[in-house]
Amino acid sequence: MSLRLRLLTPEDSDRVLAWRNSPQVSAYMYSDHRIAQDEHDRWLAGALNLPDRRYWIIETDGAPVGLANLARIDAAARRCEWAYYLGEASTRGQGLGARIEYIVLRHVFETRGLNKLWCEVLLENEGVWKLHESFGFVREALYRQHVFKADRFQDVVGLGMLRSDWDAARPAIEARLRGKGHDPDTLPPAP
């Protein structure tokens, strides 16, 4: 299965709104309300135009399957945060997340030359925070009762990776990807 990240465009609007409102994606977002078109349009305008953000559509074999992004890109502090999701349920559980993570880490640390990448993940989304940790992210925080959704407070894990963490972890990550049949040298860079 080929993989690439391409820049988000206005033509992706309807698909991304459907993904954001799907139960499989919204279960792990901070909010759980149904996103209306006008709210989505404001979000999309920011995603496309604000200089501290970068959004990509994840494609496999040429078909859009999810969204990855950088936010709060701070060139002076040399850090940013990131997130991604697979909007198409058929793509989950195939090792796609690991390949996306590798592409984004390379982009952040090698192309952009940043020093830190961080993210926040709902504690109950164990598969994702464990994937991040397997790539060398370090748990930096546990935000207790940080999000109110599904009529209850939920904890959030804060994870961070430094450039030095990436440099140390990269050989083992590449070996693990190769062991699963994914050649890191053939993964395309993020635009």
Side-chain angles (χ1 to χ4, degrees):
M1 170 186 329
S2 70
L3 170 67
R4 82 174 184 128
L5 275 58
R6 67 161 172 82
L7 292 175
L8 176 72
T9 69
E11 290 73 30
D12 296 308
S13 178
D14 291 345
R15 176 177 287 113
V16 172
L17 177 57
W19 287 339
R20 293 176 75 205
N21 278 327
S22 72
Q24 298 85 2
V25 171
S26 65
Y28 299 108
M29 294 172 58
Y30 273 13
S31 62
D32 56 5
H33 69 281
R34 182 148 188 86
I35 300 168
Q37 187 67 52
D38 61 334
E39 179 184 357
H40 176 71
D41 291 345
R42 287 189 301 277
W43 171 87
L44 184 63
L48 293 171
N49 298 309
L50 291 174
D52 71 338
R53 299 176 191 184
R54 184 80 164 204
Y55 281 82
W56 299 286
I57 292 292
I58 302 163
E59 291 185 339
T60 59
D61 297 332
V65 298
L67 185 76
N69 77 286
L70 302 180
R72 298 183 196 176
I73 302 168
D74 185 335
R78 296 181 55 200
R79 68 177 181 237
C80 68
E81 69 177 306
W82 87 293
Y84 81 94
Y85 59 79
L86 297 174
E88 300 298 325
S90 63
T91 60
R92 296 186 191 113
Q94 299 179 19
L96 198 53
R99 292 163 59 202
I100 294 163
E101 190 134 344
Y102 179 80
I103 291 169
V104 171
L105 290 170
R106 243 182 23 205
H107 178 78
V108 166
F109 294 120
E110 296 171 16
T111 303
R112 287 189 173 265
L114 300 180
N115 184 59
K116 183 171 185 176
L117 179 64
W118 86 92
C119 59
E120 296 177 357
V121 181
L122 293 173
L123 181 62
E124 62 187 44
N125 195 357
E126 185 175 352
V128 170
W129 59 259
K130 281 188 172 182
L131 174 67
H132 293 326
E133 287 180 338
S134 77
F135 268 75
F137 277 83
V138 174
R139 185 183 294 199
E140 296 181 339
L142 174 64
Y143 302 112
R144 298 177 306 138
Q145 298 184 6
H146 194 63
V147 175
F148 187 78
K149 65 179 285 153
D151 294 322
R152 62 187 176 88
F153 288 102
Q154 296 188 38
D155 296 344
V156 171
V157 176
L159 300 143
M161 177 181 265
L162 303 177
R163 171 65 193 246
S164 58
D165 299 329
W166 167 243
D167 291 339
R170 183 175 176 174
I173 292 166
E174 289 177 346
R176 192 170 70 233
L177 286 170
R178 283 188 183 94
K180 294 186 178 200
H182 308 298
D183 184 355
D185 297 327
T186 64
L187 291 174

